Amino acid sequence: MIGIYSSGIWKTPHLEAFLGEPGIKLTPHHNLASTRLRAIAVWGERPSAQRPIKLARQAGIPILRLEDGFTRSLGLGVNGAPPLAMVMDDLSIYYDARTPSRLEKLIQAAAVDPYQENEAQRAITMIVNHDLSKYNHAPPFSAHVSGKEVVLVIDQTFGDISVTLGGANEQQFSAMLASACREHPRAEIWIKTHPDVLSGKKRGYFNVQPIDPRIQLIVEDVSPQSLLRHATRVYTVTSQYGIEALMAGKKVVCFGLPWYAGWGITDDRHPDAPALAARRGSAPLTALVSAAWLRYSRYIDPYTGERATLFDVLDYLHLNRTHRLARRGHLWAPGMTLWKSSIVKPFLRTSDNRVSFSRRCKEATACIVWGIQGEERWKEDAEARNLPIWRMEDGFLRSSGLGSDLQAPLSLVLDKTGIYYDATRPSDLEHLLNHSLLTIEQKLRASHLHRHLVENKLSKYNLGEGWQCPPTGGKRVLLVPGQVENDASIATGTLSINTNLALLHTVRERYPDAFIIYKPHPDVLTGNRPGHIAEAEMSRLADCVALDVDIIECIQQADELHTMTSLSGFEALLHGKQVYCYGQPFYSGWGLTVDEHPNTRRQRSLTLQDLIYQALIAYPTYIHPRDQRVITVEAAAAWLTTQTRPAMAAKRKANRLVRLCRKAINFYRVKFI
């Protein structure tokens, strides 16, 4: 059991998961002799920790120092963002250069036995490529650069304990800036202000614009890695920027004694640096990362509050950071119905932006519309105000039930270029596919997702009953899925065949000896949308009509699928079926389908893994229906497997009362949440 005097520590979310054992809240007058404590936890070397340390030593109880982890959270701690990582040190604390810490010992061990070197390199790659840091709220640096050499000088919060215990003060900051200017006479000198200073919570060491015209204060709150990409050398006292600069391959000059100095990988200018180096020895960067991020730090799952790994946290931060950055600004979504507003709101709203659904919005920075119809309606207004138009649509793993029955979606897409079903122009998805270069990890992730989808028979709507194909007489079985005929994918994705009847007639004409299964679209079957074929025509052209059945059941029992632009073609590819495309759906033109009308913009041959990763992982956004948080596609798929599959025949269509109840819920979500 861990004893805790500090109210701040005691209020830390999921504290017991971090500690790995229960804690007990202590008072200043607590009888320590009567309580069996393994240690007393304090927060680093804060002044408030000194009395608990004194009491612990008097009682002969070990001290456990806690601090934020090196990859802490999505937002700033001073703004209340809960920690996802914490370090615990039973010797000292990592930023105290006066005495060896547990981290120092771990680095020395990792230098001798680099058994986690591959994982350390993986962590470095993820942090650098995904633009991650200790805090992950800031946007990328986007200011204009002159092209001159850039030297980055890192400011810190005034009086920070890491500065003091790193053997530094104001003099080191002054000397650092002077050295950077002297050693790089032709370079631009950028001084990076600390995020806590920018938030107004604290002050730094460089608060006034210097007279030297080469010196520029970077007062914008921008992500470290995006700024580091412009620098050739980094000067720091004790900031974490230094280790992140080393990860980015930059040369780092240290004027203090941070935990990553003294190992032979930094240019150490502090007078006590030789003594520190003698104590620490030498170690490569991977040893420092392995020790600090993989062994010294502890992590919790942001969703469950249970213990997690560094890579769980990095994946979460990357997902949420990408989501937030894609939705920055004041988003204007005019003309949407109450239903559309209710489902769009959780996919657009973040803690950093504003979303308006009014018909007018003077402060808007982007116009959000639903598909092509919304774009046509609001294009003139958006262009008049010079606003970009971003299109939204349902994702490919949508729900357990129909959207036309007011079932809220698990996934939506936000496309800033076009929209995936519009083959007349590029889209964000098409761009992703044209430039897909998957890493080994991404390929493995796509493969695991593929297997899960197939094993659980997941589709867009996940409804309908089991089904058994009637005897075929040994004929080749062709599945023809119907579509909603006024759907935008028909209007913008077909060139010759654009009705269900024409498609069915063409397939029968070309394959007279085949066994043809016709599967009406669920929205057509329930009577919600147009596209019905008369029963006499269906009976004449198809050998079998699959009505209230799961599309995946049909796909699994067919040899081929013939479609205009239906998503079922993509689902058939997942199940290893040959797919014939009579239009230009997003999955055609990549060498995976037989195409009636090849798309000239699609010149690459892709693997099924490419298609799965870009269409199901990279392109959509998934929101959990209960807590409204961003989730991964894997979490969305897992949730779908727990849901009861509704039937879809017209007689089982959602009744009026159910629809009114759903509308009431949607109204509440739009107006009050």
Side-chain angles (χ1 to χ4, degrees):
M1 185 174 295
I2 305 294
I4 299 168
Y5 285 98
S6 168
S7 298
I9 295 176
W10 187 251
K11 294 176 182 177
T12 302
H14 313 297
L15 178 62
E16 187 171 326
F18 279 124
L19 296 175
E21 61 187 289
I24 181 173
K25 183 67 171 68
L26 304 176
T27 67
H29 305 292
H30 200 99
N31 185 1
L32 298 180
S34 65
T35 308
R36 302 184 66 176
L37 299 176
R38 186 179 70 81
I40 289 177
V42 300
W43 198 259
E45 285 288 347
R46 282 185 177 178
S48 59
Q50 300 313 306
R51 178 166 173 76
I53 291 173
K54 180 180 178 181
L55 294 173
R57 287 172 175 168
Q58 289 174 348
I61 300 173
I63 299 163
L64 187 65
R65 288 176 173 83
L66 313 181
E67 265 288 356
D68 287 329
F70 304 107
T71 298
R72 182 196 185 275
S73 53
L74 193 58
L76 293 174
V78 294
N79 289 337
L84 303 177
M86 184 180 290
V87 304
M88 301 182 190
D89 203 308
D90 60 339
L91 298 179
S92 177
I93 193 63
Y94 67 89
Y95 50 75
D96 188 352
R98 301 171 301 178
T99 184
S101 65
R102 180 58 59 187
L103 175 56
E104 188 171 311
K105 300 293 186 183
L106 290 172
I107 295 172
Q108 290 168 338
V112 176
D113 182 16
Y115 74 98
Q116 288 182 311
E117 186 173 6
N118 290 338
E119 285 191 318
Q121 189 56 59
R122 177 189 171 195
I124 292 171
T125 301
M126 290 182 69
I127 289 170
V128 174
N129 291 350
H130 296 335
D131 197 11
L132 301 178
S133 182
K134 183 175 184 177
Y135 309 112
N136 297 278
H137 62 289
F141 181 71
S142 60
H144 175 74
V145 294
S146 65
K148 296 182 179 179
E149 179 189 3
V150 172
V151 172
L152 192 60
V153 177
I154 309 301
D155 196 7
Q156 294 179 241
T157 57
F158 191 89
D160 186 86
I161 195 149
S162 76
V163 174
T164 304
L165 298 185
N169 53 36
E170 296 170 83
Q171 294 179 354
Q172 274 71 35
F173 283 88
S174 299
M176 173 174 65
L177 180 58
S179 295
C181 294
R182 183 177 63 256
E183 294 166 9
H184 303 275
R186 294 183 174 84
E188 292 184 355
I189 310 297
W190 293 1
I191 299 177
K192 179 64 186 76
T193 306
H194 193 278
D196 286 352
V197 176
L198 296 173
S199 70
K201 305 292 183 178
K202 299 180 181 179
R203 68 186 181 97
Y205 289 91
F206 303 114
N207 293 312
V208 180
Q209 176 69 53
I211 299 175
D212 192 329
R214 295 190 299 136
I215 299 176
Q216 177 183 348
L217 284 175
I218 306 297
V219 296
E220 299 87 1
D221 194 3
V222 296
S223 58
Q225 289 297 332
S226 68
L227 193 61
L228 285 166
R229 293 183 185 119
H230 299 279
T232 58
R233 184 165 297 198
V234 175
Y235 286 72
T236 184
V237 176
T238 62
S239 170
Q240 183 171 314
Y241 239 100
I243 185 67
E244 293 174 346
L246 291 171
M247 291 184 187
K250 308 300 178 179
K251 295 180 179 179
V252 177
V253 183
C254 296
F255 276 75
L257 300 172
W259 66 269
Y260 51 84
W263 302 102
I265 58 176
T266 53
D267 181 354
D268 300 329
R269 305 286 182 85
H270 194 280
D272 295 336
L276 184 68
R279 187 182 84 199
R280 290 179 171 173
S282 61
L285 176 62
T286 49
L288 271 68
V289 174
S290 172
W293 270 265
L294 295 171
R295 298 189 65 188
Y296 191 55
S297 298
R298 300 185 179 188
Y299 304 92
I300 58 166
D301 187 303
Y303 300 107
T304 66
E306 299 175 353
R307 288 289 292 273
T309 69
L310 165 66
F311 300 104
D312 294 329
V313 171
L314 291 178
D315 286 339
Y316 168 84
L317 292 174
H318 176 50
L319 176 68
N320 282 269
R321 175 173 168 78
T322 302
H323 178 78
R324 289 190 179 189
L325 290 178
R327 290 154 177 79
R328 292 177 63 206
H330 192 144
L331 309 185
W332 176 45
M336 291 192 181
T337 65
L338 182 65
W339 163 242
K340 279 289 191 294
S341 300
S342 70
I343 67 171
V344 162
K345 188 175 182 179
F347 286 86
L348 289 178
R349 184 183 57 186
T350 73
S351 60
D352 305 322
N353 71 1
R354 293 184 64 188
V355 181
S356 300
F357 294 99
S358 59
R359 293 184 66 85
R360 291 180 175 82
C361 180
K362 294 181 179 180
E363 301 82 12
T365 57
C367 179
I368 313 299
V369 298
W370 189 265
I372 291 178
Q373 290 183 342
E375 180 178 9
E376 292 174 349
R377 181 180 177 185
W378 295 98
K379 184 178 181 180
E380 185 176 339
D381 293 75
E383 288 180 345
R385 299 170 58 183
N386 199 29
L387 295 176
I389 296 177
W390 300 349
R391 290 146 289 271
M392 299 195 78
E393 266 287 358
D394 287 330
F396 309 127
L397 286 175
R398 186 195 182 279
S399 53
S400 182
L402 297 172
S404 59
D405 280 336
L406 302 186
Q407 291 286 351
L410 270 171
S411 67
L412 295 179
V413 302
L414 179 65
D415 200 308
K416 300 181 180 181
T417 304
I419 195 66
Y420 68 88
Y421 54 74
D422 185 357
T424 66
R425 57 179 171 174
S427 67
D428 288 350
L429 178 56
E430 188 174 276
H431 177 81
L432 288 169
L433 292 167
N434 265 323
H435 298 85
S436 184
L437 293 171
L438 301 184
T439 64
I440 294 175
E441 288 184 14
Q442 289 171 332
K443 291 178 181 178
L444 287 173
R445 186 180 179 190
S447 297
H448 292 157
L449 177 61
H450 182 193
R451 183 169 62 251
H452 182 82
L453 296 177
V454 171
E455 289 176 353
N456 292 280
K457 300 182 181 181
L458 296 181
S459 63
K460 183 175 183 177
Y461 295 115
N462 301 285
L463 75 172
E465 301 172 348
W467 182 71
Q468 183 59 52
C469 181
T472 65
K475 296 180 178 179
R476 190 160 183 81
V477 181
L478 312 185
L479 174 61
V480 179
Q483 295 183 239
V484 176
E485 290 185 353
N486 65 351
D487 192 80
S489 72
I490 301 292
T492 61
T494 60
L495 289 91
S496 54
I497 299 171
N498 57 15
T499 67
N500 292 326
L501 181 59
L503 174 63
L504 189 55
H505 186 275
T506 299
V507 176
R508 172 54 73 195
E509 185 178 66
R510 294 184 182 184
Y511 306 94
D513 298 326
F515 187 95
I516 297 177
I517 303 169
Y518 179 66
K519 173 71 173 70
H521 191 279
D523 280 334
V524 176
L525 184 63
T526 58
N528 292 338
R529 301 286 172 77
H532 178 68
I533 299 177
E535 290 186 13
E537 290 292 323
M538 284 194 291
S539 299
R540 182 176 68 87
L541 296 171
D543 298 281
C544 173
V545 179
L547 295 174
D548 192 12
V549 301
D550 185 350
I551 183 66
I552 302 300
E553 296 278 351
C554 299
I555 289 172
Q556 289 182 332
Q557 297 174 60
D559 298 304
E560 301 171 1
L561 184 141
H562 292 247
T563 182
M564 292 179 285
T565 61
S566 171
L567 182 65
S568 60
F570 175 52
E571 294 164 347
L573 289 175
L574 299 183
H575 287 263
K577 306 299 179 177
Q578 181 70 68
V579 177
Y580 290 76
C581 297
Y582 296 79
Q584 295 181 328
F586 72 87
Y587 52 84
S588 70
W590 309 108
L592 299 170
T593 55
V594 180
D595 302 324
E596 185 91 351
H597 304 285
N599 191 314
T600 57
R601 294 191 310 273
R602 304 169 188 176
Q603 300 291 329
R604 295 187 61 197
S605 292
L606 300 179
T607 67
L608 187 56
Q609 289 174 323
D610 287 302
L611 195 59
I612 292 170
Y613 188 90
Q614 305 301 350
L616 294 177
I617 298 175
Y619 187 52
T621 296
Y622 299 87
I623 299 289
H624 197 285
R626 184 178 63 254
D627 58 23
Q628 304 287 283
R629 290 202 294 178
V630 183
I631 57 175
T632 62
V633 61
E634 291 85 359
W639 184 85
L640 284 172
T641 61
T642 67
Q643 303 304 298
T644 302
R645 297 189 177 221
M648 60 184 176
K651 63 181 181 179
R652 300 172 198 155
K653 181 181 169 182
N655 61 47
R656 181 176 177 84
L657 180 60
V658 172
R659 292 170 68 87
L660 286 174
C661 289
R662 290 172 180 167
K663 285 185 177 182
I665 294 170
N666 297 335
F667 177 81
Y668 176 79
R669 286 176 174 173
V670 173
K671 296 296 183 181
F672 303 109
I673 299 181

